[in-house]
Each structure stands twice: as structure tokens, then as C-alpha cells.
Coordinates of all heavy atoms in Angstrom, one line a residue:
M1 N -1.5 25.9 -11.2 CA -0.1 26.3 -11.5 C 0.1 26.6 -13.0 O -0.4 25.9 -13.8 CB 0.9 25.1 -11.1 CG 2.3 25.5 -11.3 SD 3.4 24.2 -10.6 CE 3.2 23.0 -11.9
H2 N 0.7 27.8 -13.3 CA 0.9 28.2 -14.6 C 2.3 27.8 -15.1 O 3.3 28.1 -14.4 CB 0.8 29.7 -14.7 CG 0.9 30.3 -16.1 ND1 0.1 29.9 -17.1 CD2 1.9 31.1 -16.6 CE1 0.5 30.5 -18.2 NE2 1.6 31.2 -17.9
L3 N 2.4 27.1 -16.2 CA 3.6 26.5 -16.7 C 4.3 27.4 -17.7 O 5.4 27.1 -18.2 CB 3.4 25.1 -17.3 CG 3.0 24.1 -16.3 CD1 2.7 22.8 -17.0 CD2 4.0 23.9 -15.2
G4 N 3.7 28.6 -18.0 CA 4.3 29.6 -18.9 C 4.7 29.0 -20.2 O 5.7 29.3 -20.8
G5 N 3.8 28.2 -20.8 CA 4.1 27.6 -22.1 C 5.0 26.4 -22.2 O 5.3 25.9 -23.2
L6 N 5.6 26.1 -21.0 CA 6.5 24.9 -21.0 C 5.7 23.6 -21.2 O 4.6 23.5 -20.6 CB 7.2 24.8 -19.7 CG 8.3 25.8 -19.4 CD1 8.9 25.7 -18.0 CD2 9.5 25.6 -20.4
K7 N 6.2 22.7 -21.9 CA 5.5 21.5 -22.1 C 6.0 20.5 -21.0 O 7.2 20.4 -20.7 CB 5.9 20.8 -23.5 CG 5.2 21.4 -24.6 CD 5.7 20.9 -25.9 CE 4.8 20.0 -26.6 NZ 5.3 19.5 -27.9
A8 N 5.0 19.8 -20.4 CA 5.3 18.9 -19.4 C 6.0 17.7 -20.0 O 5.6 17.2 -21.1 CB 4.0 18.4 -18.7
P9 N 7.1 17.2 -19.4 CA 7.8 16.0 -20.0 C 6.9 14.8 -19.9 O 6.2 14.6 -18.9 CB 9.0 15.9 -19.2 CG 8.7 16.6 -17.9 CD 7.7 17.6 -18.2
V10 N 7.0 14.0 -21.0 CA 6.3 12.7 -21.0 C 7.3 11.6 -20.6 O 8.3 11.4 -21.3 CB 5.6 12.4 -22.3 CG1 4.9 11.1 -22.3 CG2 4.6 13.5 -22.7
V11 N 7.1 10.9 -19.5 CA 8.0 9.9 -19.1 C 7.5 8.5 -19.0 O 8.0 7.7 -18.3 CB 8.6 10.3 -17.7 CG1 9.5 11.5 -17.9 CG2 7.6 10.6 -16.7
G12 N 6.4 8.2 -19.8 CA 5.9 6.9 -19.8 C 4.7 6.8 -18.8 O 4.2 7.7 -18.2
V13 N 4.2 5.6 -18.7 CA 3.1 5.3 -17.9 C 3.5 4.9 -16.5 O 4.2 3.9 -16.3 CB 2.2 4.2 -18.5 CG1 1.0 3.9 -17.7 CG2 1.8 4.6 -19.9
F14 N 3.0 5.6 -15.5 CA 3.2 5.2 -14.1 C 2.0 4.6 -13.5 O 0.9 5.1 -13.6 CB 3.6 6.4 -13.3 CG 5.0 6.9 -13.6 CD1 5.2 7.8 -14.6 CD2 6.1 6.4 -12.9 CE1 6.5 8.2 -14.9 CE2 7.4 6.8 -13.2 CZ 7.6 7.7 -14.2
V15 N 2.1 3.4 -12.9 CA 1.0 2.8 -12.3 C 1.2 2.8 -10.8 O 2.2 2.3 -10.3 CB 0.9 1.3 -12.8 CG1 -0.3 0.6 -12.2 CG2 0.8 1.3 -14.3
A16 N 0.2 3.3 -10.1 CA 0.3 3.4 -8.6 C 0.0 2.1 -8.0 O -0.9 1.4 -8.4 CB -0.6 4.5 -8.1
K17 N 0.9 1.7 -7.1 CA 0.6 0.5 -6.3 C 1.0 0.9 -4.9 O 1.6 1.9 -4.7 CB 1.5 -0.7 -6.7 CG 1.0 -1.4 -7.9 CD 1.8 -2.7 -8.1 CE 0.9 -3.7 -8.8 NZ 1.6 -5.0 -8.8
G18 N 0.6 0.0 -4.0 CA 0.8 0.5 -2.6 C 1.8 -0.3 -1.8 O 2.2 -1.4 -2.2
R19 N 2.1 0.3 -0.7 CA 3.0 -0.4 0.3 C 2.4 -0.2 1.6 O 2.0 0.9 1.9 CB 4.4 0.1 0.2 CG 5.4 -0.7 1.0 CD 6.8 -0.4 0.6 NE 7.1 -0.9 -0.7 CZ 8.1 -0.5 -1.5 NH1 8.9 0.5 -1.0 NH2 8.4 -1.1 -2.6
V20 N 2.3 -1.2 2.4 CA 1.7 -1.1 3.7 C 2.7 -1.4 4.8 O 3.5 -2.3 4.7 CB 0.4 -2.0 3.8 CG1 0.8 -3.5 3.6 CG2 -0.3 -1.8 5.1
S21 N 2.6 -0.6 5.9 CA 3.5 -0.8 7.0 C 2.7 -1.0 8.3 O 1.7 -0.4 8.5 CB 4.4 0.5 7.2 OG 5.2 0.7 6.2
I22 N 3.2 -1.9 9.1 CA 2.5 -2.3 10.3 C 3.4 -2.0 11.5 O 4.5 -2.5 11.5 CB 2.1 -3.8 10.3 CG1 1.2 -4.0 9.0 CG2 1.4 -4.2 11.5 CD1 1.1 -5.4 8.5
V23 N 2.9 -1.3 12.5 CA 3.6 -1.1 13.7 C 3.1 -2.1 14.7 O 2.1 -1.9 15.4 CB 3.4 0.4 14.2 CG1 4.2 0.7 15.5 CG2 3.6 1.4 13.2
V24 N 3.7 -3.2 14.7 CA 3.2 -4.4 15.4 C 2.9 -4.2 16.9 O 1.9 -4.6 17.4 CB 4.3 -5.5 15.2 CG1 4.0 -6.7 16.1 CG2 4.4 -6.0 13.8
E25 N 3.7 -3.4 17.6 CA 3.5 -3.3 19.0 C 2.3 -2.4 19.4 O 1.9 -2.4 20.5 CB 4.8 -2.7 19.7 CG 5.9 -3.7 19.7 CD 5.6 -5.0 20.4 OE1 4.9 -5.0 21.4 OE2 6.0 -6.1 19.9
R26 N 1.8 -1.6 18.4 CA 0.6 -0.8 18.7 C -0.7 -1.6 18.5 O -1.7 -1.1 18.9 CB 0.6 0.4 17.8 CG 1.6 1.5 18.2 CD 1.3 2.7 17.3 NE 2.3 3.7 17.5 CZ 2.5 4.7 16.6 NH1 1.8 4.8 15.6 NH2 3.5 5.5 16.8
C27 N -0.6 -2.7 17.8 CA -1.8 -3.4 17.4 C -2.5 -4.1 18.5 O -1.9 -4.7 19.4 CB -1.4 -4.4 16.3 SG -2.8 -5.4 15.8
K28 N -3.9 -4.0 18.5 CA -4.7 -4.7 19.5 C -5.5 -5.8 18.8 O -6.5 -6.3 19.4 CB -5.5 -3.7 20.3 CG -4.7 -2.8 21.1 CD -5.5 -2.1 22.1 CE -4.7 -1.1 22.9 NZ -5.3 0.2 23.0
A29 N -5.2 -6.1 17.6 CA -5.8 -7.2 16.9 C -7.4 -7.1 16.7 O -8.0 -8.1 16.8 CB -5.5 -8.5 17.5
C30 N -7.8 -5.9 16.5 CA -9.3 -5.8 16.3 C -9.8 -6.3 15.0 O -10.9 -6.7 14.8 CB -9.7 -4.3 16.4 SG -9.1 -3.3 15.0
G31 N -8.8 -6.4 14.0 CA -9.2 -7.0 12.7 C -9.8 -6.1 11.8 O -10.2 -6.5 10.6
F32 N -10.0 -4.8 12.1 CA -10.7 -3.8 11.2 C -9.9 -3.8 9.9 O -10.5 -3.7 8.8 CB -10.7 -2.4 11.8 CG -11.7 -2.3 12.9 CD1 -11.8 -1.1 13.6 CD2 -12.6 -3.3 13.2 CE1 -12.8 -1.0 14.6 CE2 -13.6 -3.2 14.2 CZ -13.6 -2.0 14.9
C33 N -8.6 -3.7 10.0 CA -7.8 -3.5 8.7 C -8.0 -4.7 7.8 O -8.1 -4.6 6.6 CB -6.3 -3.3 9.1 SG -5.6 -4.6 10.1
V34 N -8.0 -5.9 8.4 CA -8.2 -7.1 7.6 C -9.6 -7.1 7.0 O -9.7 -7.4 5.8 CB -8.0 -8.4 8.5 CG1 -8.4 -9.6 7.8 CG2 -6.6 -8.4 9.1
E35 N -10.6 -6.8 7.8 CA -12.0 -6.8 7.3 C -12.3 -5.8 6.2 O -13.0 -6.1 5.3 CB -12.9 -6.5 8.5 CG -14.3 -6.8 8.3 CD -14.6 -8.3 8.1 OE1 -13.9 -9.2 8.6 OE2 -15.5 -8.6 7.2
F36 N -11.7 -4.6 6.3 CA -12.1 -3.5 5.4 C -11.1 -3.4 4.2 O -11.4 -2.6 3.3 CB -12.2 -2.2 6.1 CG -13.4 -2.2 7.0 CD1 -13.3 -2.3 8.4 CD2 -14.7 -2.0 6.5 CE1 -14.4 -2.3 9.2 CE2 -15.8 -2.0 7.3 CZ -15.7 -2.1 8.6
C37 N -10.0 -4.1 4.2 CA -9.2 -4.1 3.0 C -10.0 -4.6 1.8 O -10.4 -5.8 1.8 CB -7.9 -4.9 3.2 SG -6.9 -5.0 1.7
P38 N -10.2 -3.8 0.7 CA -11.0 -4.3 -0.4 C -10.4 -5.4 -1.2 O -11.1 -6.1 -1.9 CB -11.1 -3.0 -1.2 CG -10.1 -2.1 -0.8 CD -9.7 -2.4 0.6
T39 N -9.1 -5.6 -1.1 CA -8.5 -6.6 -2.0 C -7.8 -7.7 -1.1 O -7.1 -8.6 -1.6 CB -7.4 -6.0 -2.9 OG1 -6.5 -5.1 -2.1 CG2 -8.0 -5.2 -4.0
K40 N -8.2 -7.8 0.2 CA -7.8 -8.9 1.1 C -6.3 -9.1 1.1 O -5.8 -10.2 1.0 CB -8.5 -10.2 0.7 CG -10.0 -10.0 0.7 CD -10.5 -9.7 2.1 CE -12.0 -9.4 2.1 NZ -12.4 -8.6 3.2
V41 N -5.6 -8.0 1.3 CA -4.1 -8.0 1.3 C -3.6 -8.5 2.7 O -2.6 -9.1 2.8 CB -3.6 -6.5 1.1 CG1 -2.1 -6.4 1.4 CG2 -3.9 -6.1 -0.3
L42 N -4.4 -8.3 3.7 CA -4.0 -8.6 5.1 C -4.7 -9.8 5.7 O -5.8 -10.1 5.4 CB -4.3 -7.4 6.0 CG -3.7 -6.0 5.5 CD1 -4.4 -4.9 6.1 CD2 -2.2 -6.0 5.7
A43 N -4.0 -10.4 6.7 CA -4.6 -11.4 7.6 C -4.0 -11.3 8.9 O -2.8 -10.8 9.0 CB -4.4 -12.8 7.0
L44 N -4.7 -11.6 10.0 CA -4.1 -11.6 11.3 C -3.1 -12.8 11.4 O -3.4 -13.9 11.0 CB -5.2 -11.8 12.4 CG -6.1 -10.6 12.6 CD1 -7.1 -10.8 13.7 CD2 -5.3 -9.3 12.8
S45 N -1.9 -12.5 11.9 CA -0.9 -13.6 11.9 C -1.1 -14.4 13.1 O -1.8 -14.1 14.1 CB 0.5 -12.9 11.9 OG 0.8 -12.4 13.2
S46 N -0.4 -15.5 13.2 CA -0.4 -16.4 14.4 C 0.6 -16.0 15.4 O 0.6 -16.5 16.5 CB -0.2 -17.9 13.9 OG 1.1 -17.9 13.3
A47 N 1.5 -15.0 15.1 CA 2.5 -14.5 16.0 C 1.8 -13.6 17.0 O 0.8 -13.0 16.7 CB 3.6 -13.8 15.2
F48 N 2.5 -13.4 18.2 CA 2.0 -12.5 19.2 C 2.9 -11.3 19.2 O 4.1 -11.4 19.0 CB 2.0 -13.1 20.6 CG 1.1 -14.3 20.7 CD1 1.5 -15.6 20.6 CD2 -0.2 -14.0 21.1 CE1 0.6 -16.6 20.8 CE2 -1.1 -15.1 21.3 CZ -0.7 -16.4 21.1
N49 N 2.3 -10.1 19.5 CA 3.2 -9.0 19.9 C 3.4 -9.0 21.4 O 2.9 -9.9 22.1 CB 2.6 -7.6 19.4 CG 1.3 -7.2 20.1 OD1 0.9 -7.8 21.1 ND2 0.7 -6.3 19.5
S50 N 4.1 -8.0 22.0 CA 4.4 -8.1 23.4 C 3.2 -8.0 24.3 O 3.3 -8.3 25.5 CB 5.5 -7.1 23.8 OG 5.0 -5.8 23.6
K51 N 2.1 -7.4 23.8 CA 0.9 -7.3 24.6 C 0.0 -8.6 24.5 O -1.1 -8.6 25.1 CB 0.1 -6.1 24.1 CG 0.8 -4.8 24.3 CD -0.1 -3.7 23.6 CE 0.7 -2.4 23.5 NZ 0.2 -1.6 22.4
G52 N 0.4 -9.5 23.7 CA -0.3 -10.7 23.5 C -1.4 -10.7 22.4 O -2.2 -11.6 22.4
Y53 N -1.3 -9.8 21.5 CA -2.2 -9.7 20.4 C -1.6 -10.2 19.1 O -0.4 -10.2 19.0 CB -2.6 -8.2 20.2 CG -3.4 -7.6 21.3 CD1 -2.8 -6.6 22.0 CD2 -4.7 -8.1 21.7 CE1 -3.5 -6.0 23.1 CE2 -5.4 -7.5 22.7 CZ -4.8 -6.4 23.4 OH -5.4 -5.9 24.5
H54 N -2.5 -10.7 18.2 CA -2.0 -11.2 16.9 C -2.1 -10.0 15.9 O -3.2 -9.7 15.5 CB -2.9 -12.3 16.4 CG -2.8 -13.5 17.3 ND1 -1.8 -14.4 17.3 CD2 -3.7 -14.1 18.1 CE1 -2.0 -15.4 18.1 NE2 -3.2 -15.2 18.6
P55 N -1.0 -9.4 15.5 CA -1.1 -8.3 14.6 C -1.3 -8.8 13.2 O -1.0 -10.0 12.9 CB 0.3 -7.6 14.7 CG 1.2 -8.8 15.2 CD 0.4 -9.7 16.0
P56 N -1.7 -7.9 12.3 CA -1.9 -8.4 10.9 C -0.5 -8.6 10.2 O 0.5 -8.0 10.6 CB -2.7 -7.3 10.2 CG -2.3 -6.1 11.0 CD -2.1 -6.6 12.4
H57 N -0.5 -9.3 9.2 CA 0.6 -9.4 8.3 C 0.1 -9.4 6.8 O -1.1 -9.6 6.6 CB 1.5 -10.6 8.6 CG 0.9 -11.9 8.3 ND1 1.6 -13.0 7.9 CD2 -0.4 -12.3 8.4 CE1 0.8 -14.0 7.7 NE2 -0.4 -13.7 8.0
V58 N 1.0 -9.1 5.9 CA 0.7 -8.9 4.5 C 0.7 -10.3 3.8 O 1.7 -11.0 3.8 CB 1.6 -7.9 3.8 CG1 1.3 -7.8 2.4 CG2 1.5 -6.6 4.5
V59 N -0.4 -10.7 3.3 CA -0.4 -12.0 2.6 C -0.5 -11.9 1.1 O -0.1 -12.8 0.4 CB -1.6 -12.9 3.1 CG1 -1.4 -13.3 4.5 CG2 -3.0 -12.2 3.0
L60 N -1.0 -10.8 0.6 CA -1.1 -10.6 -0.9 C -0.5 -9.2 -1.2 O -1.3 -8.3 -1.6 CB -2.5 -10.7 -1.4 CG -3.2 -12.0 -1.3 CD1 -4.7 -12.0 -1.6 CD2 -2.5 -13.0 -2.2
P61 N 0.8 -9.0 -1.1 CA 1.4 -7.6 -1.3 C 1.1 -7.0 -2.6 O 1.0 -5.8 -2.8 CB 2.9 -7.8 -1.0 CG 3.1 -9.3 -1.2 CD 1.8 -10.0 -0.8
E62 N 1.1 -7.9 -3.6 CA 0.9 -7.4 -5.0 C -0.5 -6.8 -5.2 O -0.8 -6.1 -6.2 CB 1.2 -8.5 -6.0 CG 0.1 -9.6 -6.1 CD 0.3 -10.7 -5.0 OE1 1.1 -10.5 -4.1 OE2 -0.5 -11.6 -5.0
K63 N -1.4 -7.1 -4.3 CA -2.8 -6.5 -4.5 C -3.0 -5.2 -3.7 O -4.1 -4.7 -3.7 CB -3.8 -7.6 -4.0 CG -3.8 -8.8 -4.8 CD -5.2 -9.4 -4.9 CE -5.2 -10.5 -6.0 NZ -6.5 -11.3 -5.9
C64 N -2.0 -4.7 -3.1 CA -2.2 -3.5 -2.3 C -2.1 -2.3 -3.2 O -1.2 -2.1 -4.0 CB -1.1 -3.4 -1.2 SG -1.3 -1.8 -0.2
S65 N -3.2 -1.5 -3.2 CA -3.3 -0.3 -4.0 C -2.7 0.9 -3.3 O -2.6 2.0 -3.9 CB -4.7 -0.1 -4.4 OG -5.5 0.3 -3.2
G66 N -2.5 0.8 -2.0 CA -2.1 2.0 -1.3 C -3.2 2.9 -0.9 O -3.0 4.1 -0.6
C67 N -4.4 2.4 -0.9 CA -5.6 3.2 -0.7 C -5.6 3.8 0.8 O -6.3 4.7 1.1 CB -6.9 2.5 -1.0 SG -7.2 1.1 0.2
D68 N -4.9 3.1 1.7 CA -4.8 3.5 3.1 C -6.2 3.4 3.9 O -6.3 4.0 4.9 CB -4.2 4.9 3.3 CG -3.8 5.1 4.7 OD1 -3.3 4.1 5.4 OD2 -3.9 6.2 5.2
L69 N -7.1 2.6 3.3 CA -8.3 2.3 4.1 C -8.0 1.6 5.4 O -8.5 1.9 6.5 CB -9.3 1.4 3.3 CG -10.3 2.1 2.4 CD1 -11.1 1.0 1.7 CD2 -11.2 3.0 3.2
C70 N -7.0 0.7 5.4 CA -6.5 0.0 6.6 C -6.1 1.0 7.7 O -6.5 0.9 8.8 CB -5.4 -1.0 6.3 SG -4.1 -0.3 5.3
G71 N -5.3 2.0 7.2 CA -4.8 3.0 8.1 C -6.0 3.9 8.7 O -6.0 4.3 9.9
M72 N -7.0 4.2 7.8 CA -8.1 5.0 8.3 C -9.0 4.3 9.3 O -9.5 4.9 10.2 CB -8.9 5.5 7.1 CG -8.2 6.5 6.3 SD -9.2 7.1 4.9 CE -8.4 6.4 3.5
Y73 N -9.1 3.0 9.2 CA -9.9 2.3 10.1 C -9.2 1.9 11.4 O -9.9 1.5 12.4 CB -10.5 1.0 9.4 CG -11.7 1.3 8.6 CD1 -11.6 1.3 7.2 CD2 -12.9 1.6 9.1 CE1 -12.7 1.6 6.4 CE2 -14.1 1.8 8.4 CZ -13.9 1.8 7.0 OH -15.0 2.1 6.2
C74 N -7.9 1.8 11.4 CA -7.2 1.4 12.6 C -7.4 2.4 13.7 O -7.0 3.5 13.6 CB -5.7 1.2 12.3 SG -4.8 0.6 13.7
P75 N -8.0 1.9 14.9 CA -8.2 2.8 16.0 C -6.9 3.1 16.8 O -6.8 4.0 17.6 CB -9.2 2.1 16.9 CG -9.1 0.6 16.5 CD -8.5 0.6 15.1
D76 N -5.8 2.4 16.5 CA -4.6 2.5 17.3 C -3.4 3.0 16.5 O -2.3 2.9 16.9 CB -4.2 1.1 17.9 CG -5.3 0.7 18.9 OD1 -5.3 1.4 20.0 OD2 -6.0 -0.2 18.7
F77 N -3.7 3.5 15.3 CA -2.6 4.1 14.4 C -1.5 3.0 14.2 O -0.3 3.4 14.3 CB -2.1 5.4 15.0 CG -3.2 6.4 15.1 CD1 -3.7 6.7 16.4 CD2 -3.7 7.1 14.1 CE1 -4.7 7.6 16.6 CE2 -4.7 8.0 14.2 CZ -5.2 8.3 15.5
A78 N -1.8 1.8 14.1 CA -0.8 0.7 14.0 C -0.5 0.3 12.6 O 0.3 -0.6 12.4 CB -1.3 -0.5 14.8
I79 N -1.2 0.9 11.6 CA -1.0 0.5 10.2 C -1.2 1.7 9.3 O -2.0 2.6 9.6 CB -1.9 -0.7 9.9 CG1 -1.6 -1.3 8.5 CG2 -3.4 -0.3 9.9 CD1 -2.2 -2.6 8.3
Y80 N -0.4 1.8 8.3 CA -0.6 2.9 7.3 C -0.1 2.4 6.0 O 0.8 1.5 5.9 CB 0.1 4.2 7.7 CG 1.6 4.1 7.9 CD1 2.4 4.4 6.8 CD2 2.2 3.6 9.0 CE1 3.8 4.3 6.9 CE2 3.6 3.5 9.2 CZ 4.4 3.9 8.1 OH 5.7 3.8 8.2
A81 N -0.5 3.0 4.9 CA -0.1 2.6 3.6 C 0.0 3.8 2.7 O -0.5 4.9 3.0 CB -1.1 1.6 3.0
Y82 N 0.8 3.7 1.7 CA 0.9 4.8 0.7 C 1.1 4.2 -0.7 O 1.5 3.0 -0.9 CB 2.2 5.6 1.1 CG 3.4 4.8 1.4 CD1 4.3 4.6 0.3 CD2 3.7 4.3 2.6 CE1 5.5 3.9 0.6 CE2 4.9 3.6 2.8 CZ 5.8 3.4 1.8 OH 6.9 2.7 2.0
K83 N 0.9 5.1 -1.6 CA 1.0 4.7 -3.0 C 2.4 4.8 -3.5 O 3.1 5.8 -3.1 CB 0.1 5.5 -3.9 CG -1.4 5.2 -3.7 CD -2.3 6.0 -4.7 CE -3.7 5.8 -4.4 NZ -4.2 4.5 -4.7
I84 N 2.9 3.9 -4.3 CA 4.3 4.0 -4.8 C 4.2 4.0 -6.4 O 3.4 3.2 -6.9 CB 5.2 3.0 -4.3 CG1 4.6 1.6 -4.4 CG2 5.7 3.2 -2.9 CD1 5.6 0.4 -4.2
P85 N 4.9 4.8 -7.1 CA 4.9 4.8 -8.5 C 5.8 3.6 -9.0 O 6.9 3.5 -8.4 CB 5.4 6.1 -9.0 CG 6.2 6.6 -7.8 CD 5.7 6.0 -6.6
E86 N 5.4 2.9 -10.0 CA 6.3 1.9 -10.6 C 7.3 2.6 -11.5 O 7.0 3.8 -11.9 CB 5.5 0.9 -11.4 CG 4.9 -0.2 -10.6 CD 4.2 -1.2 -11.5 OE1 4.3 -1.2 -12.7 OE2 3.7 -2.2 -10.9
Q87 N 8.4 2.1 -11.7 CA 9.4 2.7 -12.6 C 8.7 3.0 -13.9 O 8.6 4.2 -14.3 CB 10.6 1.8 -12.8 CG 11.5 1.7 -11.6 CD 12.1 3.0 -11.3 OE1 12.6 3.6 -12.2 NE2 12.1 3.4 -10.1
K88 N 8.4 2.1 -14.7 CA 7.6 2.2 -15.9 C 7.0 0.9 -16.2 O 7.5 -0.2 -15.8 CB 8.5 2.5 -17.1 CG 9.0 4.0 -17.1 CD 9.9 4.2 -18.3 CE 10.5 5.6 -18.2 NZ 11.5 5.8 -19.2
S89 N 5.8 0.9 -16.8 CA 5.2 -0.4 -17.2 C 6.0 -1.0 -18.3 O 6.8 -0.3 -19.0 CB 3.8 -0.1 -17.7 OG 3.8 0.5 -18.9
E90 N 5.9 -2.3 -18.5 CA 6.6 -2.9 -19.6 C 6.3 -2.4 -20.9 O 7.1 -2.2 -21.8 CB 6.3 -4.5 -19.5 CG 6.9 -5.2 -18.3 CD 8.4 -4.9 -18.2 OE1 9.1 -5.0 -19.2 OE2 8.9 -4.6 -17.1
K91 N 5.0 -2.0 -21.1 CA 4.5 -1.4 -22.4 C 5.2 -0.1 -22.6 O 5.7 0.1 -23.7 CB 3.0 -1.3 -22.3 CG 2.4 -0.9 -23.7 CD 0.9 -0.8 -23.6 CE 0.4 -0.2 -24.9 NZ -0.9 0.4 -24.7
A92 N 5.3 0.7 -21.6 CA 5.9 2.0 -21.8 C 7.4 1.9 -22.1 O 8.0 2.6 -23.0 CB 5.8 2.9 -20.5
K93 N 8.1 0.9 -21.5 CA 9.5 0.6 -21.8 C 9.7 0.2 -23.2 O 10.6 0.7 -23.9 CB 10.0 -0.5 -20.9 CG 10.3 -0.1 -19.5 CD 10.9 -1.3 -18.7 CE 11.0 -1.0 -17.3 NZ 11.2 -2.2 -16.5
A94 N 8.8 -0.7 -23.7 CA 8.9 -1.1 -25.1 C 8.7 0.0 -26.1 O 9.4 0.1 -27.1 CB 7.8 -2.2 -25.3
E95 N 7.7 0.9 -25.7 CA 7.5 2.1 -26.6 C 8.7 3.0 -26.7 O 9.1 3.4 -27.8 CB 6.2 2.9 -26.1 CG 4.9 2.2 -26.4 CD 3.7 2.9 -25.7 OE1 3.9 3.9 -25.1 OE2 2.6 2.3 -25.8
V96 N 9.3 3.2 -25.6 CA 10.5 4.1 -25.5 C 11.6 3.4 -26.4 O 12.3 4.1 -27.1 CB 10.9 4.3 -24.1 CG1 12.3 5.0 -24.0 CG2 9.9 5.2 -23.3
K97 N 11.7 2.1 -26.2 CA 12.8 1.4 -27.0 C 12.5 1.5 -28.5 O 13.5 1.8 -29.2 CB 12.7 -0.1 -26.5 CG 14.0 -0.8 -26.7 CD 13.9 -2.2 -26.1 CE 15.2 -2.9 -26.3 NZ 15.1 -4.3 -25.8
N98 N 11.3 1.3 -28.9 CA 10.9 1.4 -30.3 C 11.2 2.8 -30.9 O 11.5 2.9 -32.1 CB 9.5 0.9 -30.5 CG 9.3 -0.6 -30.2 OD1 10.3 -1.3 -30.2 ND2 8.1 -1.0 -30.0
E99 N 11.0 3.8 -30.1 CA 11.2 5.2 -30.6 C 12.6 5.4 -30.8 O 13.0 6.4 -31.5 CB 10.6 6.2 -29.6 CG 9.1 6.2 -29.6 CD 8.5 7.0 -28.5 OE1 9.3 7.7 -27.7 OE2 7.3 6.9 -28.3
G100 N 13.5 4.6 -30.2 CA 14.9 4.6 -30.4 C 15.6 5.9 -30.1 O 16.5 6.4 -30.6
Ligands
LIG201 S1 -3.7 0.2 1.5 FE1 -5.7 -0.4 0.8 S2 -5.3 -2.3 -0.4 FE2 -3.4 -1.9 0.8 S3 -3.6 -3.1 2.6 FE3 -4.5 -1.1 3.2 S4 -6.7 -1.3 2.7 FE4 -5.7 -3.0 1.7
LIG202 S1 -6.9 -2.2 12.6 FE1 -5.0 -1.6 13.7 S2 -5.3 -2.5 15.8 FE2 -6.9 -3.4 14.5 S3 -5.9 -5.3 13.7 FE3 -5.4 -3.8 12.2 S4 -3.4 -2.9 12.8 FE4 -4.2 -4.0 14.6

């Protein structure tokens, strides 16, 4: 993309983190998402869905990067994740404040 000499605005540091969504009723409790999550965000819950399976739940939400490996491994399209930008890091906020 050509910006025609326009300078891109600098709005601080954005750190991507993830959010994961689980479609409980689609899950068959194979455990792939739990097994392949690199940061062990998920665990199979003790609750049942209507088919009698234990779907995963999020146990360490702050560790989710939004990589969507869980979604790629799920054979039933029962889980997906996405990256979310943080508002601004605390450091970036401090820098903006100091620049006054
Ligand atoms: S998006 Fe990545 S880090 Fe988050 S739960 Fe899925 S596999 Fe784990
Ligand atoms: S990979 Fe899909 S079907 Fe398997 S436990 Fe996870 S959400 Fe359920």
C-alpha cells in the first residue's frame, strides 16, 4: 500500500493477547485443544454438555496468545480464538503522559 508521503500515526505499543470461545454443545471432549495449547490455557471441565461430554474451559485466560492452535486442532469446530489488541501498555501510557 502506498501512503503518498503520509506519516503513519504512532499510538503507543499494542500487545496482542488472545481470547478463546468454546461452543460447548459441539464438543466431543477429544482433548486435542487442551493437549496442544502451548501455554496450557485450557482444561476439560467436570461439567457435561447435552451429549454427555466434558467440554474444555479456560483455566489460565491471561496466558492465551490468540494463536488459535486450539481451533485448528479441533475436529468439531467447537473452539476458536483470536488476538485482541490491548489499549496501551502501562509503559506507553507513561511515555504519552510525560510528553505532555
Ligand atoms: S488460542 Fe492458542 S494460547 Fe489460546 S487457548 Fe488456543 S491454543 Fe491456547
Ligand atoms: S478439540 Fe474440540 S472437540 Fe476436542 S475437546 Fe477441544 S473443543 Fe472439544
Side-chain angles (χ1 to χ4, degrees):
M1 184 173 70
H2 181 61
L3 294 176
L6 287 175
K7 281 173 110 178
V10 178
V11 290
V13 178
F14 287 90
V15 180
K17 278 192 158 188
R19 189 163 289 161
V20 60
S21 294
I22 300 157
V23 186
V24 169
E25 290 304 321
R26 284 191 191 161
C27 176
K28 292 192 184 133
C30 67
F32 287 174
C33 57
V34 174
E35 193 63 34
F36 288 104
C37 174
T39 47
K40 303 298 172 202
V41 169
L42 304 162
L44 291 182
S45 79
S46 57
F48 293 97
N49 65 14
S50 66
K51 296 174 196 155
Y53 297 113
H54 296 288
H57 66 149
V58 176
V59 291
L60 293 172
E62 71 281 4
K63 294 211 168 171
C64 181
S65 66
C67 67
D68 196 34
L69 270 180
C70 49
M72 288 186 248
Y73 278 105
C74 178
D76 293 293
F77 304 102
I79 190 166
Y80 63 93
Y82 52 92
K83 291 184 186 289
I84 48 169
E86 279 188 2
Q87 286 295 314
K88 283 179 185 173
S89 72
E90 289 307 314
K91 189 177 171 203
K93 279 184 193 166
E95 284 171 5
V96 170
K97 203 173 179 183
N98 291 340
E99 283 169 12

